[in-house]
Amino acid sequence: MYHAISEYVPVLILLALAVGFGVVTLLVSFLVRPNDPYPDKLSPYECGIDPFTTGKLQIPVRFFVIVMLFLLFDVEAVFMYPWAAVYKKIGWYGFVEMFLFIVILLVGYIYAWAKGALEWE
Amino acid sequence: MLALVVITIVKLLVLFAFTMTCVAYGTLAERKVCGHIQDRIGPCYCGPRGLLQPLADGLKLFFKEDITPSEVDKPVFILAPVLAVAPPLLAIGVIPFGESITLFGHKIPLVVADVNVAVLYLFAVASFSVYSIVLGGWASNSKYPLLGGLRSAAQMISYELVLGLSIMGVIMLAGSFSLTDIVHAQKHWWFVLTQPLGFLIYIVAATAELNRLPFDLPEAESELVGGYHTEYSSMKFAMFFLGEYANMVVASAVGACLFLGGWNPPFAFLSFIPGIIWFLIKLFFIFFTLLWIRWSWPRLRYDQLMTFSWKYLLPLSLLNIVATAGVMLWMHRI
């Protein structure tokens, strides 16, 4: 148990190092760079003209459909990981189980395809 | 105990320095390779053959004025670049660069954290990369970054799914999530030979995850100006690129571990060359392939990109899993 936990201590140090690197870099550049703002420079970019709407656009609903599909399929992928790790030990039983699971997955996949959820006109 | 602490800290620092050097010289390699592919010579003024170019770029970016547009959501705007560099630096910690070496009487494994669920850890950490782009695009409060961020969200989750499925065959053959075990399992046969389809899908999906051409729709400059980083300047801008190149290093290292046999030499009689050299050769080979792909293919359309992932790569990777499972059964006990 002690060993299992201690494996993650370097990961924690690495996390501190990674975040620290980002913060220190931004801080150093904050200290050394010139700073000369004026309103025209600070306006949002829009090919040289004054922006005439806010930056928040309406988002096409297709993006949400993709996210829902992702959630479904990704949960199934997560289910496959432990199966893959022990597949050598469970043999035929595992093969039939996963085959049935993928068939069920395919039915849903074909349904999504037929409904046009995968189309991006 | 003290020796262990010192060794770990030294390893961390060496790894950090190695990654940062790779990132700096990755940008130079990109420009040099691009130059030669386009029949130019690339950067050549800073130092001999342009070797000091990354240093000059870094200095320049430090001294550039940093413009924070008036409309942005400031905390998130600053958080996004930090989120871009942190995940790849975290991920590189579980990569085994070679077998143990003995130094001053201590046996030192060439991996900082030999986590037994390294593959899961890598995917968990790598999926954080999408946050930096989406948050950066959203916090900019401007049209082009928002569009770039949205596209990137949809693209990265679609290809992340395929990426996760493409390595399933490797896990089945090795029977472990530990990268060290996976490399040991490739002593005789590299998994690129038994999993060629998985390797191809891995390379394609990794290119898309890294937002590189031909899948760089989040920043497509011909229609989105610069995509998610349009409003970024100075070091904040540079950190997105640090993150991208560090991600490339991680993707190459993982590809080398999972498919190209890690530190194993290609033939047994070449085993006098240290494993770490073989590992680095494989790492840079995949890195070069990524550069090569970028400068050889035109950009896809966004609908083509999404269709390619959902209608072709996803069924193919499922087929790969079933086929691998079937062949394994047939080979072992019929």
Side-chain angles (χ1 to χ4, degrees):
Chain A
M1 194 60 197
Y2 168 74
H3 181 72
I5 292 171
S6 66
E7 280 300 342
Y8 287 92
V9 172
V11 173
L12 280 178
I13 305 174
L14 207 56
L15 176 67
L17 209 61
V19 175
F21 171 77
V23 172
V24 167
T25 314
L26 285 186
L27 203 69
V28 170
S29 96
F30 174 75
L31 292 175
V32 298
R33 71 187 185 221
N35 191 17
D36 175 26
Y38 49 88
D40 287 348
K41 196 190 263 177
L42 295 185
S43 71
Y45 182 81
E46 196 157 314
C47 306
I49 55 170
D50 288 337
F52 53 89
T53 54
T54 72
K56 299 277 181 268
L57 308 169
Q58 286 187 330
I59 299 168
V61 76
R62 281 173 305 198
F63 285 108
F64 294 96
V65 176
I66 289 292
V67 171
M68 282 202 301
L69 282 177
F70 165 74
L71 280 179
L72 289 174
F73 280 90
D74 207 40
V75 168
E76 275 141 9
V78 167
F79 175 66
M80 278 184 204
Y81 275 114
W83 169 81
V86 296
Y87 178 66
K88 270 185 185 168
K89 289 174 198 134
I90 50 179
W92 269 109
Y93 177 66
F95 181 74
V96 174
E97 281 274 286
M98 190 46 70
F99 191 77
L100 288 177
F101 180 72
I102 288 180
V103 167
I104 296 169
L105 190 65
L106 274 182
V107 173
Y109 177 74
I110 292 165
Y111 178 75
W113 193 327
K115 277 285 176 185
L118 307 181
E119 306 298 330
W120 204 275
E121 67 251 27
Chain B
M1 188 62 200
L2 182 70
L4 188 72
V5 172
V6 172
I7 288 170
T8 306
I9 289 174
V10 169
K11 276 200 292 193
L12 274 170
L13 292 178
V14 170
L15 182 76
F16 195 72
F18 169 78
T19 316
M20 280 301 146
T21 316
C22 273
V23 168
Y25 280 90
T27 62
L28 180 67
E30 174 102 82
R31 295 167 69 180
K32 277 285 185 190
V33 168
C34 156
H36 284 282
I37 284 179
Q38 296 171 349
D39 207 7
R40 303 182 280 114
I41 51 173
C44 61
Y45 286 110
C46 300
R49 303 179 80 90
L51 279 177
L52 296 180
Q53 186 70 38
L55 213 64
D57 284 342
L59 273 177
K60 181 195 80 173
L61 284 160
F62 264 114
F63 288 102
K64 279 280 183 189
E65 183 178 357
D66 189 354
I67 299 162
T68 307
S70 48
E71 300 286 311
V72 303
D73 184 353
K74 219 170 168 192
V76 184
F77 190 73
I78 296 170
L79 178 71
V82 179
L83 273 181
V85 282
L89 290 178
L90 267 178
I92 201 98
V94 296
I95 308 283
F97 280 76
E99 286 208 278
S100 320
I101 52 167
T102 310
L103 219 62
F104 307 120
H106 291 288
K107 199 161 168 278
I108 306 172
L110 288 176
V111 48
V112 171
D114 191 11
V115 183
N116 58 0
V117 287
V119 176
L120 288 183
Y121 170 84
L122 276 171
F123 278 86
V125 171
S127 54
F128 269 99
S129 293
V130 70
Y131 283 109
S132 73
I133 294 178
V134 173
L135 289 179
W138 179 258
S140 295
N141 210 347
S142 173
K143 293 187 187 81
Y144 302 108
L146 180 63
L147 285 171
L150 269 181
R151 280 184 180 186
S152 133
Q155 168 184 340
M156 285 177 87
I157 58 175
S158 303
Y159 279 88
E160 194 179 302
L161 182 60
V162 176
L163 194 70
L165 291 175
S166 72
I167 60 153
M168 208 71 79
V170 169
I171 296 174
M172 282 156 69
L173 286 171
S176 169
F177 286 128
S178 156
L179 285 175
T180 318
D181 289 352
I182 290 176
V183 173
H184 278 303
Q186 299 179 74
K187 211 143 212 144
H188 306 293
W189 286 93
W190 294 0
F191 287 150
V192 67
L193 299 172
T194 41
Q195 289 283 318
L197 187 61
F199 182 61
L200 271 181
I201 296 174
Y202 175 82
I203 291 289
V204 172
T207 317
E209 276 292 291
L210 297 166
N211 293 315
R212 291 177 62 78
L213 267 169
F215 304 113
D216 72 334
L217 275 299
E219 44 180 295
E221 66 267 14
S222 50
E223 44 173 336
L224 287 186
V225 190
Y228 61 91
H229 54 59
T230 304
E231 299 286 6
Y232 280 91
S233 49
S234 179
M235 215 52 209
K236 292 203 195 86
F237 170 79
M239 281 171 79
F240 280 110
F241 280 84
L242 282 181
E244 180 179 328
Y245 283 93
N247 265 323
M248 277 172 71
V249 175
V250 173
S252 313
V254 174
C257 273
L258 293 181
F259 293 101
L260 297 187
W263 64 77
N264 290 314
F267 302 104
F269 69 87
L270 286 172
S271 55
F272 62 89
I273 300 172
I276 188 162
I277 306 280
W278 284 117
F279 184 77
L280 290 180
I281 289 173
K282 289 165 190 172
L283 194 162
F284 292 129
F285 170 72
I286 299 186
F287 195 91
F288 174 75
T289 311
L290 291 173
L291 302 182
W292 195 5
I293 291 172
R294 167 161 183 184
W295 296 108
S296 305
W297 269 283
R299 183 177 292 134
L300 293 175
R301 265 195 345 249
Y302 195 68
D303 59 329
Q304 292 171 331
L305 174 92
M306 297 306 281
T307 320
F308 186 56
S309 163
W310 285 99
K311 289 191 181 170
Y312 296 92
L313 291 183
L314 184 65
L316 263 182
S317 46
L318 284 177
L319 184 73
N320 187 37
I321 294 172
V322 175
T324 310
V327 171
M328 276 174 75
L329 270 186
W330 181 62
M331 300 276 278
H332 285 299
R333 55 187 115 149
I334 196 160

